Amino acid sequence: MKYRSFVTVVILTIILWGSGCSVGSDDSSEGEKPLVRLCLWYDRPAEDWESEALPVGNGRLGAMVFGGVQEERILLNEDTIWAGPPVPEARIESFRALKEARELFFEGLYGLGQQVVQDRLMSPRIAPRSYQPLGDLRLKFELEGEVSDYRRELDLETAIATTRFTQGDATFSREVFSSPVDQVIVVSITADKGGKITLEAALDRPADYTVRAEGPDRLVMFGQASQDGKHKGVKYETQLQAKIQGGEITAKEKVLRIVKADAAVLLLAAATDYNHARPKTPHTHDLGKICRDQLAAAGQKSYQELRKDHIAEHQRLFKRVELDLGVTAAANMPTDQRLEAVKDGQEDPQLIALYFQYGRYLLICSSRPGCMPANLQGLWNPHLEAPWNSDYHLNINLQMNYWPAEVGNLSECHEPFFDLIERLRPSGRITARLVFYCPGFTANHVTDAWLFTAPTGHASWGMWPMGAAWCTQHFMEHYRFTGDREFLAERAYPILIEASMFLSHWLVEDPKTGKLVSGPTTSPENSFIAPDGNRVNLSMGTSMDQQIIWETFNNVLEAAEILGIDDEKAKENLKEVAEKREKLFLPGIGSDGRLMEWSEEFKEPEPGHRHMSHLFGVYPGRQYTFKETPEYMAAARKSIEYRLAHGGGHTGWSRAWIINFWARLQEGEKAYENVLSLLQKSTLNNLLDTHPPFQIDGNFGGTAGIAEMILQSHADELHLLPAAPKAWADGRVKGLVARGGFVVDMEWKEGKPTTVKIHAKVGGICKVRYQDKVIELTTEAGKSYDLKDFD
């Protein structure tokens, strides 16, 4: 089948305007910017799921749309469909080996100490037990003739994927969205000539499914997720109902057949027996009834009502933030061609703004209140055995998914993250007690829908009980951005004190220094050469551990002070935390000026390692700032330069982290260079991040990094344009959020703010910095303040 692309910008503009995803022509009057809408678009169907299909989602139900002409594939996901137990369990009394291992490490016998940990503390990894797809909706159309004016697009402002083309004497249009209001996936199929729509619709899945027809207009598919019949997990059901205008509809041999309709709307609902509160005790709901009820409720609405309600709810979140970095002629090209042009060195600032908003879009679509948090692939996964099981890695990946949530004005989308970490606490208490002989709760480097917390697999990556503590940072950050005292009191402080109690008892005194150190642990997934020449992974007092502990202790003490905690038992615990914070070993600066990753200067077998864990204190932590610790900022800079010089940043998420580092270091050109590298080396044609393979954390980390280049607030002031590059000399942003509950609107020209509006959601002192000038405001909740004095 042949596809004819648009041949002139004029034709392109006319057709795009009708779709709601347009670019104005280049001959606009001087001083008037071309109109650019936020959409990804292409001039041919997708062939590859990972790099070309387009995602929609309502937080729970997701779809990847291919945009085929005669055959359309819409891959479906529901966020709780996982293969099941058994899961790794904490090894009883394995803490008895901990003292022995620590003695070996303190004696410099690293290999022997690591072997003790591997043999006596680590639980076996049980895999695969993967997050899995719901299935596929396949549409087969009866069409003949050459295709022209083909276009498929994803409009970020409406969260609708559209496919449009002309064939014969008719123009066909399909729209796909996942409604957060009606909890159904909606597919609209229309033509501008009557009686032109003839198709067959079917549901299938790679395994573990049964399909049947119910009446002339409905298909039902159900089953139970498993891995080749083992690890039986979540039971699911999905139902597809078709509604038509004109024509006929029948169900035959597990297929819905629509003949000569004027228009058709397909509604798809799904339900599972997953129990968020107690995953190992499945719900006993009637899944079929849930689907029927959802379809019945959605079916009461017209397509336009479904569409309108969906758009309104999506835009309630999405339209809070605007970003304009300028527009070039490249904005007229299909998205894949724009990406190729950037790889060839062409400037395209609007593509960067689009990428930023795409990250916000993906978070809205994969993480709404009441849903599971975004996993390694967000919401979208076609595999029964996904890469890394599509699980929740707690040694950076899950946290990175939520870096843009607060600054990107999507605080509600943070909720599934908080829910997951709170649900880990019962299991985390068992792991803390049985494995480490500590109170409080802990989680190691990975978990999944079944909420296990035991250290699993190989010690090189699995021995890392810092996962929970890092995650509690997000609770405190949520308070800092929102000022929500109820959240601080009822959710943040309780989980911070419990994590701190674990850390306080986990720390041990280093006999050489008298300082308190964590360990034995890995600096996530990295290794070093021990004095005996062997390559090992574990040591005492790794920099990231010490930084996370410092951050957690400071967070809980700050929370307690804000809340005025005066309970005697709590005061005793807080006193213990404060005393141990003062004795905490702090990371060193090496003889070459770099921030040390380990407590000693070891040789590095991978000097370009993808993880840069020892820079946690720069970002996302706040231990190191130019004001308080300039020597550490200088050392961090040398560490980044060294990593990059040896091939670091070669995965998408790692490159995204580097953008945030350079932003915190206020190196705008370096940050921008890595934004470009993220697009050039680690971004697929559908703008999804690639590790490789596809892994969504790089999208979210990149979005956070772009925001960090424009606005920072971690150092107790709002810093405007701290790392804006020359390529963004003129720009405008609206709706970014700073700590203290301040929403910032700003325009700038030639790198200098021209208008700044601060909206105070909470009120209080607000310090605003641009370069060396600081303006201090006393604000009141609900009021806005205009600043223009930055000359």
Side-chain angles (χ1 to χ4, degrees), residues 59-97:
R60 181 182 72 89
L61 279 176
M64 291 289 277
V65 184
F66 281 68
V69 174
Q70 286 187 314
E71 295 187 6
E72 169 68 291
R73 178 189 179 193
I74 301 174
L75 188 131
L76 308 169
N77 284 102
E78 200 279 349
D79 69 348
T80 63
I81 297 180
W82 291 72
V87 301
E89 302 286 351
R91 295 177 67 172
I92 297 175
E93 295 191 349
S94 56
F95 63 83
R96 298 185 185 280

Side-chain angles (χ1 to χ4, degrees), residues 654-673:
S654 180
R655 183 69 63 181
W657 200 1
I658 292 167
I659 296 168
N660 287 277
F661 291 145
W662 285 125
R664 285 279 172 97
L665 289 166
Q666 299 175 25
E667 294 273 6
E669 300 310 315
K670 294 284 189 181
Y672 180 62
E673 176 185 319

Side-chain angles (χ1 to χ4, degrees), residues 249 294 334 383 496 526 717:
I249 182 170
Q294 289 175 337
H383 308 291
L496 280 165
N526 205 352
E717 59 186 19

Side-chain angles (χ1 to χ4, degrees), residues 282-500:
H283 280 305
T284 57
H285 302 318
D286 183 335
L287 303 183
K289 183 178 186 303
I290 293 173
C291 292
R292 288 190 294 275
D293 289 349
Q294 289 175 337
L295 290 174
Q300 294 296 311
K301 296 182 178 181
S302 69
Y303 173 70
Q304 290 304 321
E305 289 173 325
L306 290 168
R307 189 180 190 275
K308 179 182 177 182
D309 291 347
H310 157 75
I311 292 174
E313 171 54 23
H314 174 73
Q315 292 186 346
R316 180 181 67 84
L317 298 174
F318 184 80
K319 291 183 79 67
R320 291 173 181 172
V321 175
E322 300 174 7
L323 177 62
D324 178 5
L325 299 174
V327 183
T328 67
N332 288 319
M333 299 190 300
T335 304
D336 53 341
Q337 295 178 27
R338 295 174 73 179
L339 193 61
E340 285 301 313
V342 168
K343 292 177 182 179
D344 291 337
Q346 182 172 313
E347 294 285 336
D348 190 347
Q350 200 277 329
L351 183 63
I352 294 173
L354 179 68
Y355 185 92
F356 167 83
Q357 293 285 26
Y358 192 42
R360 295 183 66 250
Y361 167 88
L362 291 169
L363 191 59
I364 294 168
C365 291
S366 63
S367 184
R368 281 177 170 267
C371 300
M372 298 291 283
N375 60 44
L376 280 175
Q377 278 71 38
L379 177 61
W380 303 275
N381 164 48
H383 308 291
L384 292 181
E385 184 178 339
W388 299 283
N389 293 317
S390 211
D391 56 23
Y392 302 117
H393 272 57
L394 306 183
N395 64 1
I396 187 170
N397 311 96
L398 178 63
Q399 293 93 333
M400 184 180 283
N401 283 0
Y402 288 89
W403 287 354
E406 302 294 342
V407 68
N409 214 331
L410 296 174
S411 195
E412 301 96 320
C413 295
H414 220 155
E415 285 292 327
F417 177 98
F418 301 138
D419 292 343
L420 176 74
I421 304 309
E422 289 176 328
R423 293 199 303 270
L424 288 177
R425 288 165 74 182
S427 170
R429 291 169 189 143
I430 295 171
T431 297
R433 185 173 67 253
L434 294 184
V435 180
F436 304 116
Y437 202 56
C438 294
F441 96 111
T442 186
N444 283 264
H445 90 290
V446 68
T447 191
D448 62 16
W450 308 105
L451 307 181
F452 70 92
T453 57
T456 66
H458 198 277
S460 61
W461 35 264
M463 183 58 185
W464 196 71
M466 296 293 114
W470 184 350
C471 289
T472 65
Q473 181 206 31
H474 285 244
F475 286 74
M476 193 65 195
E477 287 285 73
H478 179 74
Y479 167 75
R480 291 187 181 117
F481 277 93
T482 65
D484 186 341
R485 286 181 64 92
E486 182 179 351
F487 178 89
L488 182 68
E490 296 183 5
R491 302 185 72 179
Y493 176 75
I495 204 165
L496 280 165
I497 194 66
E498 196 166 3
S500 294

